[in-house]
């Protein structure tokens, strides 16, 4: 008998809630307007560096992505870029016809430098800023800018692409209007331009007349509608008040039964799992807490053994996801170790009895001053399944004798605790999109990376530093493979699945949407939302 069923009514149906029966005709809404309903972002801000790093549809970066393959292309503001032979100097050349909204003029290298300085300033809350920061940034002319570093940056284009740390704002607008201008009506460069934000309600954009790239989206108006409850998002889709919805897969069946359609990203958009926050294990780190239950590798193994991953994938993703042996390692990136898949069942496989034995060997709970394991429950754009994942973790942990409690917490608070080196709890996590290996290891396993990281120690820090300083591809692959193998053997996290991003749409309004799955919240290429009426 499956664990979830053995505890009473299946958790999946209990979490779905009441069936939504609203049926207002979609014809009540103008076909030149597309509404995307999604969860409320954790930090509503027009300032990219002051929010969660999720780019508004009105902004562009230097580096674009092919909408199908996801590979870097010059579809955004840079026409070309290159690194010198040492990878310590990166040159970006801008398109000469790129233009800001509302008459704020052409995009120049001065705008790039201004945006870089704002993004790397003291008020920035962007993750992974250390990977963006350069030793120096030099404007060569209006359309050329050079970033110089002390150590090699083999994939610095990533920091300027869809999941990167920099989007481009108008320097002229800032000089004329200050931050108030950005907060009121920020000028971007994309085919949609900003109209207004209603906090707690959403953000509206409109099609740019005569856009500098010659791009004309099918819909005149794009609205992001923010909603807290997943059932309410589904209701908006079923009623016709929204034509696109980001809903958990457990709710998609109701949408499909009502004639809606599911559209998927063209590539895997993320790897998901859970992490042991607070593992600050480098020598002499004052933030290290040896009393945490998961500071003991036996407890970490037990927590992994407690998870019925296939059942979790069935509940969270309706079975439409691939099991992952690492939420950072990807077959398309350097350091991929296929042998870890062969070892996974033996080391991580679902085995409650083994989990109980490991906890007993570790002396749990008596050996730990506070044996209770906090599990963060939080919503996050692009991951509507995270609250359910937290509940599943608690179910499985409780079943093997672990003491747990759910902690309701928004994502910025978790990030603030991580930056303060005080994040002593378990939380769902995503690698979205699937980052290049170097960025993944630095972001999540070194002190200078993202605040949502977990496991740190001298060995993984050393391997990450060595990888950054190495150019030779074969040596880089060997270093990264050693790092992934070490993390695997240390039970450094709880990997779950590799997942495509999915949205449900009303096919009478939206015919298609091509997006590669290469951004933080997985969706992008807003101008490619196709109207069913054209």
């Amino acid at each position: 008998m499956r664990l979830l069923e053995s505890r009473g009514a299946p958790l999946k149906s209990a979490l779905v809630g009441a069936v939504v029966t609203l049926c207002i005709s979609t014809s009540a809404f103008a076909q030149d307007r597309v509404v995307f309903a999604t969860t409320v972002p954790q930090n509503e801000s027009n300032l990219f560096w002051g929010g969660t790093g999720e780019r508004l549809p009105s902004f562009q970066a230097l580096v674009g992505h092919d909408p199908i393959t996801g590979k870097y292309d010059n579809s955004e503001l840079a026409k070309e870029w290159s690194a010198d032979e040492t990878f310590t100097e990166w040159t970006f050349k801008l398109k000469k016809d790129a233009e800001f909204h509302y008459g704020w003029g052409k995009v120049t290298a001065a705008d790039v430098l201004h945006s870089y300085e704002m993004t790397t300033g003291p008020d920035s809350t962007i993750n992974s800023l250390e990977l963006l920061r350069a030793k120096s940034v030099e404007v060569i002319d209006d359309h050329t800018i050079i970033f110089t570093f002390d150590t090699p940056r083999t994939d610095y284009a990533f920091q300027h692409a869809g999941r990167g740390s920099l989007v481009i704002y108008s320097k002229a607008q800032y000089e004329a209007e200050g931050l108030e201008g950005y907060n009121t009506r920020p000028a971007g460069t994309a085919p949609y331009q900003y109209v207004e934000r209603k906090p707690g309600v959403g953000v509206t954009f409109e099609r740019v007349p005569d856009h500098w790239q010659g791009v004309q989206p099918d819909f005149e108006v794009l609205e992001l509608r923010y909603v807290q409850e997943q059932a309410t998002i589904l209701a908006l889709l079923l009623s016709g008040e929204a034509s696109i919805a980001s809903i958990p897969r457990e709710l998609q069946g109701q949408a499909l039964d009502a004639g809606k359609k599911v559209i998927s990203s063209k590539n895997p958009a993320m790897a998901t799992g859970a992490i042991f926050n607070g593992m600050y294990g480098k020598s002499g780190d004052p933030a290290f807490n040896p009393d945490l239950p998961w500071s003991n590798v036996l407890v970490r193994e037990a927590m992994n053994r407690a998870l019925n991953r296939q059942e979790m994938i069935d509940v969270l993703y309706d079975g439409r996801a691939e099991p992952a042996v690492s939420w950072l390692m990807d077959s398309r990136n350097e350091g991929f170790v296929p042998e870890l898949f062969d070892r996974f069942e033996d080391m991580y496989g679902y085995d409650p009895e083994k989990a109980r034995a490991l906890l007993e060997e570790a002396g749990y709970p008596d050996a730990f001053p506070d044996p209770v394991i906090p599990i963060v429950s939080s919503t996050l754009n692009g991951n509507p399944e995270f609250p359910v994942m937290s509940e599943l973790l608690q179910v499985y942990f409780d079943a093997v004798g672990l003491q747990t409690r759910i902690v309701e917490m928004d994502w910025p608070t978790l990030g603030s605790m991580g930056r303060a080196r005080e994040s002593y709890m378990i939380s769902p996590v995503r690698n979205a999109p699937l980052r290049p290996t170097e960025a993944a290891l630095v972001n999540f396993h070194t002190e200078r990376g993202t605040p949502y990281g977990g496991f740190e120690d001298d060995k993984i820090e050393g391997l990450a530093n060595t990888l950054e300083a190495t150019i030779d591809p074969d040596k880089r692959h060997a270093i990264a493979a050693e790092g992934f193998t070490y993390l695997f053997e240390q039970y450094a996290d709880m990997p779950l699945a590799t997942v495509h991003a999915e949205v449900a749409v009303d096919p009478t309004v939206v015919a298609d949407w091509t997006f590669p799955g290469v951004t933080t919240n997985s969706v992008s290429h807003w101008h490619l939302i196709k109207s069913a009426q054209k």
Side-chain angles (χ1 to χ4, degrees):
M1 181 180 291
R2 301 199 330 168
L3 174 61
L4 299 187
E5 293 174 352
S6 71
R7 292 173 63 90
L11 177 62
K12 183 176 180 179
S13 60
L15 292 169
V16 170
V19 176
V20 179
T21 58
L22 295 176
C23 54
I24 301 172
S25 170
T26 59
S27 63
F29 292 87
Q31 295 299 303
D32 61 357
R33 185 183 193 92
V34 63
V35 179
F36 178 28
T38 186
T39 51
V40 181
Q42 296 298 341
N43 191 353
E44 296 185 65
S45 176
N46 291 343
L47 309 180
F48 181 77
W49 58 88
T52 57
E54 295 183 1
R55 189 203 307 182
L56 293 176
S58 53
F59 283 101
Q60 291 179 315
L62 294 183
V63 178
H65 292 272
D66 182 274
I68 296 176
T69 67
K71 293 181 179 179
Y72 299 143
D73 67 15
N74 64 354
S75 60
E76 299 208 6
L77 297 177
K79 68 175 183 179
E80 60 186 57
W81 55 90
S82 61
D84 69 357
E85 61 183 11
T86 68
F87 289 94
T88 60
E89 184 177 285
W90 281 78
T91 302
F92 291 82
K93 293 186 176 295
L94 306 182
K95 296 176 180 177
K96 295 183 179 180
D97 54 349
E99 190 170 347
F100 286 107
H101 304 149
Y102 321 121
W104 285 109
K106 300 286 189 179
V107 178
T108 71
D111 297 300
V112 177
L113 177 60
H114 164 75
S115 302
Y116 169 87
E117 290 173 341
M118 299 296 286
T119 303
T120 57
D123 296 330
S124 180
T125 59
I126 293 291
N127 299 332
S128 315
L129 270 187
E130 290 305 313
L131 295 179
L132 174 66
R133 285 195 173 104
K135 176 183 178 181
S136 65
V137 184
E138 183 181 4
V139 171
I140 303 303
D141 56 42
D142 279 353
H143 301 101
T144 308
I145 189 167
I146 296 178
F147 298 82
T148 303
F149 308 89
D150 288 325
T151 57
R153 300 294 177 97
T154 57
D155 194 14
Y156 192 57
F158 176 78
Q159 299 305 318
H160 295 278
R163 179 54 184 88
S165 305
L166 188 70
V167 298
I168 308 306
Y169 286 72
S170 165
K171 180 182 179 184
Q173 183 181 19
Y174 181 79
E175 291 174 341
E177 301 179 346
L179 289 180
E180 179 61 27
Y182 288 172
N183 286 319
T184 302
R185 196 175 71 157
T189 55
Y192 278 110
Q193 63 188 10
Y194 181 95
V195 176
E196 66 174 341
R197 176 188 295 276
K198 295 181 180 179
V201 177
V203 190
T204 304
F205 306 86
E206 63 185 4
R207 184 170 57 205
V208 177
D210 301 319
H211 185 255
W212 63 272
Q213 289 177 303
V215 175
Q216 287 293 295
D218 281 3
F219 291 94
E220 182 178 343
V221 177
L222 165 66
E223 179 185 345
L224 306 186
R225 182 83 58 84
Y226 296 148
V227 182
Q228 189 63 42
E229 299 297 329
Q230 301 292 344
T232 307
I233 294 177
L234 175 62
L236 291 175
L237 179 67
L238 298 185
S239 71
E241 292 187 57
S243 41
I244 307 175
S246 174
I247 55 176
R249 284 160 176 80
E250 62 183 355
L251 296 180
Q252 287 181 4
Q254 295 183 54
L256 293 171
D257 290 344
K260 310 309 178 186
K261 183 174 74 170
V262 171
I263 295 176
S264 178
S265 61
K266 295 300 181 182
N267 303 278
M270 70 191 81
T272 64
I275 55 173
F276 302 104
N277 288 286
M279 288 295 297
Y280 308 123
K282 291 193 303 179
S283 296
D285 193 329
F288 179 66
N289 181 0
D291 293 333
L292 291 176
W294 60 90
S295 68
N296 187 311
V297 67
L298 297 175
V299 176
R300 297 199 299 273
E301 180 181 352
M303 294 171 74
N304 270 286
R305 298 265 189 193
L307 303 181
N308 185 336
R309 287 175 166 82
Q310 188 55 57
E311 191 172 62
M312 293 180 73
I313 290 172
D314 289 344
V315 170
L316 295 171
Y317 305 116
D318 196 29
R320 302 196 307 276
E322 294 296 323
V325 303
S326 166
W327 66 287
L328 297 181
M329 185 181 75
D330 183 70
S331 61
R332 295 165 292 183
N333 296 334
E334 57 192 353
F336 181 67
V337 187
E339 292 79 14
L340 298 186
F341 286 86
D342 299 330
R343 301 173 61 187
F344 191 79
E345 183 61 30
D346 183 56
M347 292 186 63
Y348 284 72
Y350 177 53
D351 191 340
E353 291 303 318
K354 176 69 172 177
R356 295 186 187 98
L358 287 164
L359 292 175
E360 183 176 358
E361 184 180 352
Y364 183 90
D366 297 338
F368 301 93
D370 185 0
V372 178
I373 296 172
I375 304 171
V376 173
S377 178
S378 184
T379 58
L380 186 63
N381 280 359
N383 293 86
E385 302 85 3
F386 271 11
V388 182
M389 186 188 297
S390 297
E391 294 190 31
L392 291 176
L393 292 173
Q394 184 175 48
V395 168
Y396 290 120
F397 292 160
D398 287 354
V400 299
L402 289 160
Q403 301 174 29
T404 64
R405 62 185 173 94
I406 294 289
V407 179
E408 300 284 345
M409 181 179 295
D410 61 45
W411 211 253
T413 298
L414 179 61
S416 296
M417 294 177 70
R419 280 184 284 272
R421 313 285 284 171
E422 297 173 350
S423 178
Y424 303 111
M425 54 195 66
I426 308 303
S427 68
V429 70
R430 69 183 180 191
N431 179 21
L434 294 162
R435 292 169 173 81
T437 294
E438 181 182 310
L441 291 177
V442 172
N443 277 339
F444 294 107
H445 292 290
T446 72
E447 184 175 352
R448 64 189 186 280
T450 171
Y452 307 113
F455 185 92
E456 299 173 11
D457 71 3
D458 295 337
K459 183 176 177 67
I460 195 62
E461 177 93 14
L463 288 170
N465 290 340
T466 303
L467 183 65
E468 280 189 299
T470 302
I471 296 175
D472 181 82
D474 292 337
K475 292 180 180 179
R476 287 180 58 85
H477 175 79
I479 295 164
E482 182 180 355
F484 286 133
T485 302
Y486 176 70
L487 294 169
F488 180 88
E489 293 174 345
Q490 289 294 312
Y491 297 93
D493 47 49
M494 292 171 278
L496 179 58
T498 301
V499 188
H500 282 71
E502 293 184 349
V503 294
V505 306
D506 182 342
T508 68
V509 179
V510 175
D512 200 6
W513 185 6
T514 302
F515 58 96
V518 295
T519 60
T520 302
N521 60 0
S522 302
V523 295
S524 61
H525 295 69
W526 302 90
H527 62 287
L528 295 182
I529 301 174
K530 296 302 179 184
S531 171
Q533 306 300 315
K534 295 186 177 183

